[in-house]
Amino acid sequence: MRHGFRGRRFNRTAEHRKAMFANMSAALIKHEQIVTTLPKAKDLRPVVEKLITLGKRGDLHARRLAMSSLRDDAMVKKLFEVIGPRYKERPGGYTRVLKAGFRYGDNAPMAVIELVDRDLDARARDSGPSQKAEAAESAAA
């Protein structure tokens, strides 16, 4: 019996799970909305909410704790300079999980996890080569 064991294991080692949630947290902070499986989204929520609470505190110790979890300077900077002040008056509940159907390949339940009151322009920013950039390159060639 697994009474009292919080969270899912996702058939991964503890180190792999920790790295996965760090990467997903950084992606969510960067884009403010990501699509993943429903169980991962549900387990990511408390990780991100604790990081945003650190961003609201804003002190040096909170910044170091966030850096130890995220391992990304730019995302820690955004967390403390943009997201933390945005939710200064909100007492919690910074994320929302919306069900998004089922994945084609394996019928896994999918979900969208997003920040409440998110910046709509941050969604696809710096997410790799965009279609606009590819069109500009092909037009220049």
Short mmCIF file of all heavy atoms in Angstrom, two decimals, residues 1-2 8 13-14 35 46 51 56 61 63 73 76 81 100 102 107 118 123 130 132:
data_model
loop_
_atom_site.label_atom_id
_atom_site.label_comp_id
_atom_site.label_asym_id
_atom_site.label_seq_id
_atom_site.Cartn_x
_atom_site.Cartn_y
_atom_site.Cartn_z
N MET A 1 0.83 -1.19 0.00
CA MET A 1 0.00 0.00 0.00
C MET A 1 0.87 1.24 0.00
O MET A 1 1.89 1.29 0.68
CB MET A 1 -0.88 0.00 1.24
CG MET A 1 -1.99 -1.03 1.20
SD MET A 1 -3.03 -0.96 2.63
CE MET A 1 -1.97 -1.65 3.87
N ARG A 2 0.44 2.25 -0.75
CA ARG A 2 1.21 3.48 -0.87
C ARG A 2 0.58 4.63 -0.10
O ARG A 2 0.59 5.77 -0.56
CB ARG A 2 1.34 3.88 -2.34
CG ARG A 2 2.24 3.00 -3.17
CD ARG A 2 2.48 3.60 -4.54
NE ARG A 2 3.32 4.77 -4.47
CZ ARG A 2 3.02 5.96 -4.95
NH1 ARG A 2 1.84 6.17 -5.50
NH2 ARG A 2 3.86 6.96 -4.87
N ARG A 8 3.09 11.34 -8.25
CA ARG A 8 3.22 10.17 -9.11
C ARG A 8 4.70 9.96 -9.44
O ARG A 8 5.49 10.89 -9.41
CB ARG A 8 2.44 10.40 -10.41
CG ARG A 8 0.96 10.55 -10.19
CD ARG A 8 0.29 11.04 -11.48
NE ARG A 8 -1.11 11.26 -11.30
CZ ARG A 8 -1.65 12.40 -10.88
NH1 ARG A 8 -0.88 13.43 -10.58
NH2 ARG A 8 -2.95 12.53 -10.77
N THR A 13 13.27 7.80 -12.43
CA THR A 13 14.01 7.90 -11.18
C THR A 13 13.73 9.27 -10.55
O THR A 13 13.22 10.18 -11.23
CB THR A 13 15.52 7.74 -11.43
OG1 THR A 13 15.95 8.81 -12.28
CG2 THR A 13 15.82 6.40 -12.06
N ALA A 14 14.10 9.42 -9.30
CA ALA A 14 13.87 10.69 -8.61
C ALA A 14 14.61 11.83 -9.29
O ALA A 14 14.08 12.94 -9.42
CB ALA A 14 14.29 10.57 -7.15
N VAL A 35 1.50 22.66 -23.06
CA VAL A 35 0.62 21.51 -23.24
C VAL A 35 1.40 20.27 -22.84
O VAL A 35 2.52 20.06 -23.30
CB VAL A 35 0.15 21.39 -24.71
CG1 VAL A 35 -0.74 20.18 -24.90
CG2 VAL A 35 -0.57 22.65 -25.14
N PRO A 46 1.89 22.27 -8.07
CA PRO A 46 2.49 22.72 -6.81
C PRO A 46 3.94 23.17 -6.95
O PRO A 46 4.38 24.07 -6.23
CB PRO A 46 2.38 21.51 -5.89
CG PRO A 46 2.03 20.37 -6.73
CD PRO A 46 1.44 20.89 -7.99
N LEU A 51 7.34 28.14 -6.69
CA LEU A 51 8.31 29.05 -7.32
C LEU A 51 7.75 30.47 -7.42
O LEU A 51 8.48 31.45 -7.19
CB LEU A 51 8.69 28.54 -8.71
CG LEU A 51 9.62 27.33 -8.75
CD1 LEU A 51 9.74 26.79 -10.16
CD2 LEU A 51 10.98 27.67 -8.19
N LYS A 56 7.34 36.16 -5.37
CA LYS A 56 6.64 37.22 -4.65
C LYS A 56 7.47 37.72 -3.47
O LYS A 56 7.44 38.91 -3.15
CB LYS A 56 5.29 36.71 -4.13
CG LYS A 56 4.23 36.62 -5.19
CD LYS A 56 2.99 35.93 -4.70
CE LYS A 56 2.39 36.57 -3.48
NZ LYS A 56 1.11 35.95 -3.10
N HIS A 61 17.57 35.12 -0.61
CA HIS A 61 17.44 33.70 -0.30
C HIS A 61 16.41 33.03 -1.20
O HIS A 61 16.62 31.92 -1.69
CB HIS A 61 17.08 33.50 1.17
CG HIS A 61 17.03 32.08 1.60
ND1 HIS A 61 18.09 31.22 1.45
CD2 HIS A 61 16.04 31.33 2.15
CE1 HIS A 61 17.77 30.02 1.90
NE2 HIS A 61 16.51 30.07 2.33
N ARG A 63 15.61 34.01 -4.19
CA ARG A 63 16.20 33.95 -5.52
C ARG A 63 17.16 32.76 -5.64
O ARG A 63 17.19 32.05 -6.64
CB ARG A 63 16.94 35.25 -5.82
CG ARG A 63 17.41 35.40 -7.23
CD ARG A 63 18.00 36.77 -7.45
NE ARG A 63 17.01 37.82 -7.42
CZ ARG A 63 16.42 38.32 -8.51
NH1 ARG A 63 16.75 37.86 -9.69
NH2 ARG A 63 15.53 39.27 -8.41
N ASP A 73 19.09 31.26 -15.54
CA ASP A 73 19.18 32.65 -15.10
C ASP A 73 18.05 33.51 -15.64
O ASP A 73 17.45 34.30 -14.91
CB ASP A 73 20.52 33.26 -15.54
CG ASP A 73 21.70 32.66 -14.82
OD1 ASP A 73 21.52 32.25 -13.66
OD2 ASP A 73 22.80 32.59 -15.42
N VAL A 76 14.69 32.74 -13.91
CA VAL A 76 14.67 33.25 -12.53
C VAL A 76 14.48 34.76 -12.55
O VAL A 76 13.71 35.32 -11.76
CB VAL A 76 15.95 32.86 -11.77
CG1 VAL A 76 16.03 33.55 -10.43
CG2 VAL A 76 16.00 31.35 -11.58
N GLU A 81 11.14 39.48 -11.61
CA GLU A 81 10.90 40.84 -12.08
C GLU A 81 9.54 41.02 -12.75
O GLU A 81 9.02 42.13 -12.79
CB GLU A 81 12.00 41.26 -13.06
CG GLU A 81 13.35 41.39 -12.36
CD GLU A 81 14.46 41.77 -13.32
OE1 GLU A 81 14.18 41.98 -14.53
OE2 GLU A 81 15.61 41.86 -12.86
N ALA A 100 -7.51 18.92 -22.36
CA ALA A 100 -7.38 19.25 -23.79
C ALA A 100 -7.49 18.01 -24.66
O ALA A 100 -6.76 17.85 -25.63
CB ALA A 100 -6.05 19.95 -24.03
N PHE A 102 -7.37 14.05 -26.00
CA PHE A 102 -6.50 12.88 -25.91
C PHE A 102 -5.48 12.92 -27.03
O PHE A 102 -5.80 13.32 -28.16
CB PHE A 102 -7.33 11.60 -25.96
CG PHE A 102 -8.27 11.48 -24.81
CD1 PHE A 102 -9.57 11.98 -24.89
CD2 PHE A 102 -7.87 10.90 -23.62
CE1 PHE A 102 -10.44 11.88 -23.82
CE2 PHE A 102 -8.73 10.80 -22.54
CZ PHE A 102 -10.01 11.30 -22.64
N ASN A 107 -3.45 7.87 -27.01
CA ASN A 107 -4.71 8.19 -26.34
C ASN A 107 -4.50 8.67 -24.90
O ASN A 107 -5.38 8.51 -24.06
CB ASN A 107 -5.67 6.98 -26.38
CG ASN A 107 -7.12 7.42 -26.39
OD1 ASN A 107 -7.44 8.49 -26.90
ND2 ASN A 107 -7.99 6.60 -25.84
N ARG A 118 -2.25 35.53 -17.56
CA ARG A 118 -0.99 35.41 -18.28
C ARG A 118 -0.87 36.47 -19.35
O ARG A 118 -1.85 37.06 -19.79
CB ARG A 118 -0.85 34.02 -18.90
CG ARG A 118 -1.84 33.74 -20.00
CD ARG A 118 -1.75 32.30 -20.45
NE ARG A 118 -2.84 31.97 -21.35
CZ ARG A 118 -2.76 32.08 -22.66
NH1 ARG A 118 -1.66 32.50 -23.23
NH2 ARG A 118 -3.79 31.77 -23.42
N ARG A 123 3.32 33.47 -25.32
CA ARG A 123 3.00 32.07 -25.59
C ARG A 123 4.03 31.36 -26.46
O ARG A 123 4.51 30.30 -26.10
CB ARG A 123 1.62 31.97 -26.23
CG ARG A 123 1.20 30.56 -26.45
CD ARG A 123 -0.25 30.49 -26.82
NE ARG A 123 -0.57 29.18 -27.33
CZ ARG A 123 -1.52 28.95 -28.20
NH1 ARG A 123 -2.25 29.93 -28.62
NH2 ARG A 123 -1.75 27.74 -28.61
N SER A 130 10.59 29.94 -35.87
CA SER A 130 9.18 30.21 -36.13
C SER A 130 8.93 30.22 -37.63
O SER A 130 9.84 30.29 -38.44
CB SER A 130 8.77 31.55 -35.52
OG SER A 130 9.44 32.60 -36.19
N LYS A 132 7.53 32.62 -39.27
CA LYS A 132 7.85 33.94 -39.80
C LYS A 132 9.33 34.02 -40.14
O LYS A 132 9.71 34.55 -41.19
CB LYS A 132 7.48 35.02 -38.80
CG LYS A 132 6.01 35.21 -38.60
CD LYS A 132 5.74 36.30 -37.58
CE LYS A 132 4.26 36.42 -37.27
NZ LYS A 132 4.01 37.41 -36.23
#
